[in-house]
Amino acid sequence: MNGIKLLATGRHLPSRCVTNDDLSRMVETNDQWIRERTGIVTRYLCGEGEGNTSNALAAARQALERSGLAPEDIGLCVAATFTADHGTPSLACELHRLLGLPETTPSFDVNAACTGFLHALEVARCMLASGTLKTRRALVVGSEVLSRLTDFTDRSTCVLFGDGAGAAIIELDENAPYACVLGARGDAEVLRCGGAGIAGDYIYMDGRAVFRFAVEAIPRCVEEVLDRAGLTMDQVDHVICHQANARIIDHAIRKLKAPAEKFYKNIDKYGNTSSASIPIALDEMLEKGTARRGETAILVGFGGGLTWGGLLLEL
Ligand code: ACO
């Protein structure tokens, strides 16, 4: 099976850093509860003049610059988001215009909520492998502005979310290790938020039900991906889970009996940025040297839809 190679990554967080103490002045909460129940300490929210497109553009530009490629080298642009600035043009088409991508480069959004980046990677890989595109490289972005869908009078959700964007330039590579599992179970009861024309319809979540779903989904996805790749946990360098709650990741580590140091966590800084959390983590790890080129990682997503997925690739 054709795999993908990660050529470069980028990330962008908006300017407004909001602390737990800031939120405790808005709703009945406190720093200790938020830290202990979620692991979150700060999150970044969009301020004046910032939005999904500007965040995603900054992350995509950084990835493109680091790759040393020109816009003409990008044969496909896929953005994972459910909070695009417009229904249409899509976020991907906005990036297409602002980056000056060629007209032969198809550009579109995918919506699989917090699992969106994994879906975008797999869709991009399949399209690159199909041979119908002009090049073998794609720009894949995960970007959300959850603050637009957050009810800042609801303490059970407003402490959890952050805005941000992550981007990756990938290239089709016949020799790269790759495995992917994606799934869905339509369910609007435990997690949903506004659609077209539904003003004031904020994120609704049955936190405990989502928690139970997540702690079951992560180990299952990791085990299925390892099985498909014919590998054991010892042969994988990193596991990068969607950052929704530090306790969810800790549960998964215990269930898998896996070494905790393989599981990256940065939810303390950014909160839950949905489809952006995995590419932001990837970029941060590569920049800090926590992860290195040539190492392998399993990405694990879960969230609204409900959707879930696991994806093994070489960094
Ligand atoms: N500050 C203080 N107290 C709070 C807060 C808060 N911010 N929020 C809730 N509480 C209270 C509740 O009212 C409740 O009080 P009670 O016992 O008097 O009724 C108590 O704390 C416990 O509430 P729970 O909801 O049971 O708390 P829990 O430990 O489950 O933590 C949380 C809640 C953090 C939401 C957790 O359930 C969770 O992380 N769920 C998963 C969320 C997730 O992964 N979402 C991913 C998808 S998001 C997407 O797709 C966009």
Side-chain angles (χ1 to χ4, degrees):
M1 182 172 55
N2 288 299
I4 47 174
K5 196 161 65 188
L6 207 57
L7 298 183
T9 56
R11 71 178 186 278
H12 182 79
L13 283 308
S15 59
R16 250 180 82 213
C17 180
V18 176
T19 65
N20 293 342
D21 286 336
D22 292 333
L23 289 170
S24 71
R25 286 187 280 277
M26 297 161 67
V27 287
E28 187 65 39
T29 189
N30 58 73
D31 178 57
Q32 191 188 356
W33 191 96
I34 302 171
R35 277 178 199 248
E36 286 179 4
R37 306 309 292 168
T38 71
I40 300 168
V41 180
T42 57
R43 73 286 288 144
Y44 291 82
L45 305 184
C46 285
E48 194 78 14
E50 293 176 311
N52 198 329
T53 305
S54 59
N55 291 342
L57 179 65
R61 276 214 172 108
Q62 189 177 48
L64 196 59
E65 271 168 32
R66 286 174 173 172
S67 73
L69 296 171
E72 304 75 65
D73 299 320
I74 304 300
L76 175 68
C77 173
V78 187
T81 190
F82 67 99
T83 55
D85 290 338
H86 317 285
T88 191
S90 63
L91 173 60
C93 281
E94 289 283 76
L95 295 175
H96 184 285
R97 175 175 67 85
L98 294 161
L99 293 169
L101 300 182
E103 287 194 3
T104 48
T105 296
S107 299
F108 57 91
D109 292 355
V110 299
N111 171 358
C114 303
T115 325
F117 188 70
L118 271 65
H119 285 72
L121 279 180
E122 172 63 357
V123 166
R125 185 193 72 84
C126 291
M127 286 184 71
L128 292 173
S130 75
T132 59
L133 301 172
K134 288 281 180 193
T135 80
R136 292 161 59 86
R137 297 175 204 97
L139 166 64
V140 181
V141 172
S143 181
E144 305 287 2
V145 183
L146 295 177
S147 59
R148 297 265 160 79
L149 295 174
T150 302
D151 177 358
F152 283 96
T153 64
D154 175 5
R155 69 176 183 174
S156 71
T157 53
C158 76
V159 300
L160 303 174
F161 302 117
D163 301 336
I169 310 285
I170 61 165
E171 183 175 57
L172 192 69
D173 183 340
E174 286 79 0
N175 301 313
Y178 188 85
C180 179
V181 51
L182 298 172
R185 181 171 71 237
D187 186 339
E189 294 303 311
V190 299
L191 187 53
R192 64 172 179 275
C193 70
I198 312 176
D201 189 1
Y202 299 116
I203 295 172
Y204 165 80
M205 188 173 68
D206 177 344
R208 286 182 198 180
V210 177
F211 197 100
R212 282 196 299 276
F213 153 66
V215 298
E216 182 271 328
I218 298 177
R220 184 164 43 81
C221 287
V222 170
E223 278 166 356
E224 281 183 33
V225 163
L226 285 173
D227 192 44
R228 284 187 192 198
L231 297 174
T232 62
M233 185 60 101
D234 302 344
Q235 295 168 296
V236 174
D237 299 298
H238 307 281
V239 181
I240 308 173
C241 295
H242 165 50
Q243 308 283 311
N245 186 326
R247 287 192 298 131
I248 290 177
I249 299 176
D250 292 338
H251 265 265
I253 293 168
R254 282 198 293 276
K255 222 162 167 179
L256 284 161
K257 298 187 176 60
E261 60 277 10
K262 283 197 185 189
F263 288 68
Y264 191 69
K265 280 191 216 153
N266 64 4
I267 189 163
D268 56 328
K269 284 190 280 186
Y270 307 128
N272 176 350
T273 58
S274 189
S275 70
S277 85
I278 291 173
I280 288 173
L282 255 179
D283 183 60
E284 198 173 67
M285 291 171 77
L286 287 165
E287 194 177 82
K288 287 200 302 197
T290 310
R292 294 190 176 77
R293 296 276 165 213
E295 291 183 331
T296 47
I298 296 178
L299 317 181
V300 190
F302 56 88
L306 298 170
T307 57
W308 59 86
L311 192 152
L312 177 132
L313 83 173
E314 190 177 296
L315 300 177

